[in-house]
Amino acid sequence: LAHLQLSPDPPPALRLLPEAHEEVWLRHHATAAQISGYRREREEQLGFTGAWQERVSRFHRVVDWVEWDTHRRLPAPGGAPLAMRLPFDTLAV
């Protein structure tokens, strides 16, 4: 199996050159690993660890929807942000 890659020649001498599948796959795998490592580092640096619901709950006051529905009070301006826990593991912010 061979992949066709563009040659480094400028047009009109540009042509397609065969490249071994293994070389393309190894390059793809190395790039994916590099991206995954970078993403993991940035997420840890920015505090993006755990599920998104956990990250929201660190910075918002979380109230069950049923409880909020009995009072229906939104936060006052400048107050703590509110997140309502909805069914199916989701939140309304």
Side-chain angles (χ1 to χ4, degrees):
L1 178 63
H3 294 262
L4 296 176
Q5 303 287 339
L6 291 174
S7 70
D9 304 320
L14 187 65
R15 54 197 159 88
L16 293 174
L17 300 174
E19 188 168 356
H21 174 71
E22 184 176 323
E23 292 175 22
V24 174
W25 172 250
L26 290 174
R27 199 167 52 242
H28 166 75
H29 187 65
T31 302
Q34 181 182 5
I35 291 169
S36 177
Y38 178 77
R39 188 197 75 237
R40 194 172 24 259
E41 287 175 17
R42 299 301 290 172
E43 286 176 349
E44 289 174 8
Q45 185 181 42
L46 296 171
F48 290 164
T49 56
W52 68 270
Q53 294 95 333
E54 295 167 358
R55 295 194 300 266
V56 169
S57 67
R58 281 187 231 145
F59 301 103
H60 294 71
R61 184 172 59 94
V62 179
V63 177
D64 284 327
W65 165 258
V66 175
E67 180 184 334
W68 181 86
D69 193 37
T70 60
H71 305 292
R72 294 185 184 220
R73 289 193 187 128
L74 295 174
L82 174 69
M84 289 174 271
R85 188 176 293 117
L86 303 173
F88 308 110
D89 289 328
T90 191
L91 298 169
V93 181

